[in-house]
Amino acid sequence: MFRTTTASVFKRSSIPRLYSTTHQIPFDTKPFPFSRFEACCPDADAKQAENGFVPCKSHPFPPVLGKKIDMTDPMTRPTSIRHIVGCIGSDAMEWTRAKVETVPGIMQSIMTTENQWLKENRQAQAPGDGEKSVLATVAERPAAVADIPDVMLFPEFKVFQGAPSTNGVIDQSSSLYHALASIWQNPCNALPPLEQEQGWQDIKADTVVLVCTHARRDLRCGKLGPLIVDEFNRVIQEKGLQDKVEVWGTSHFGGHKFAGNLIIHQRGLGGHVYGNVRQCHVPAIVDRHIVHGKVIQEIWRGEVAPPPSSI
């Protein structure tokens, strides 16, 4: 969705880099209690499908879709080092399309603005190798002002309230435009100051969970995603974490065959993608990843936004 850049050419930039070239991921040394898409309460009366799917007595899921989930292939990840999220609410027109950028809205505006920026600044853009360095999705998180989408940036944990646009193009005078332009020039750049008086706010939560619920793109995530969102909200409420954790449905970010898919952004830990998640797994994910800050390797698809390094 965004133009490509690679870390190998970032040395030439005079702007400080946000990311270090290497960092250690704190994988959990404690075994995860489930294998990929394993049920917590397998239905002994149900026949195991050819792909290994077994229904769960406690957490129902349509077998016709369970049979279509890949539980064996190596799980791929979105190739990115930043994540931009348009906050459009749950009733926006984008959810009625398989590709959210095909209807007027924040994603279409960002893409149109990027294309315009590229035409005017080709010499300023760092060359790439075909790898997508920025992941862009929309989420069900409501905007601060109705019908004017907000934009979240990760790993900064910042939100721009009320993205200003004219005729489907982000206003060049806005701080949002300048932040996006810095990313388009080089996704590893440290962003310009994101000040409150310029429209930016800190995301109050320490953790943001984004679960793919994009039914128009694929029914596997479309059916399983909302169930996972509900289970996250139940567990978070039970543990008294509702002020520290946000959970939202999000649009497609690749790998529907590995449903359920989700991204967890956490301060200091970065953004990590998990796949083959069932409702059964949510309590353990909350405990290990959100509470204890450990990445679960058994269901890990990769990293989408490394934590910021010291500059």
Side-chain angles (χ1 to χ4, degrees), residues 119-239:
K119 291 178 181 179
E120 299 171 355
N121 298 275
R122 290 193 180 277
Q123 298 302 317
Q125 186 196 21
D129 65 352
E131 180 178 340
K132 293 183 179 180
S133 297
V134 181
L135 173 64
T137 63
V138 295
E140 294 176 340
R141 189 183 201 259
V145 178
D147 300 324
I148 306 178
D150 297 341
V151 176
M152 294 191 291
L153 291 184
F154 295 101
E156 288 78 12
F157 268 78
K158 292 284 189 177
V159 58
F160 189 95
Q161 296 184 339
S165 64
T166 304
N167 297 323
V169 178
I170 303 295
D171 292 349
Q172 293 190 16
S173 60
S174 70
S175 177
L176 174 62
Y177 177 88
H178 293 301
L180 293 174
S182 177
I183 292 171
W184 295 329
Q185 181 185 17
N186 186 330
C188 278
N189 283 346
L191 296 184
L194 307 178
E195 304 294 346
Q196 183 173 348
E197 57 268 22
Q198 296 173 328
W200 294 97
Q201 300 284 338
D202 288 323
I203 295 173
K204 294 181 180 180
D206 295 324
T207 303
V208 177
V209 182
L210 299 168
V211 183
C212 184
T213 56
H214 198 168
R216 290 292 294 178
R217 187 66 177 251
D218 190 282
L219 276 179
R220 287 166 291 190
C221 279
K223 291 293 185 182
L224 183 56
L227 299 175
I228 293 174
V229 169
D230 289 344
E231 184 67 5
F232 263 107
N233 284 325
R234 183 191 70 79
V235 175
I236 287 165
Q237 183 75 25
E238 183 180 84
K239 289 183 173 291

Side-chain angles (χ1 to χ4, degrees), residues 20 67 73 105 130 189 220 238 250:
S20 59
K67 295 174 182 179
D73 281 357
N189 283 346
R220 287 166 291 190
E238 183 180 84
T250 192

Side-chain angles (χ1 to χ4, degrees), residues 29 38 46-47 98 116 118 125 138 168 201 219 222 236 248 256 275 302:
T29 57
E38 181 182 359
K47 182 181 179 181
Q116 184 181 88
L118 286 170
Q125 186 196 21
V138 295
Q201 300 284 338
L219 276 179
I236 287 165
W248 305 104
H256 279 303

Side-chain angles (χ1 to χ4, degrees), residues 17 40-41 49 58-59 122 139 197 205 226 230 240 246 259 270 291 304:
R17 294 196 313 170
C40 64
C41 301
S58 299
H59 303 98
R122 290 193 180 277
E197 57 268 22
D230 289 344
E246 293 186 14
V291 175
V304 294

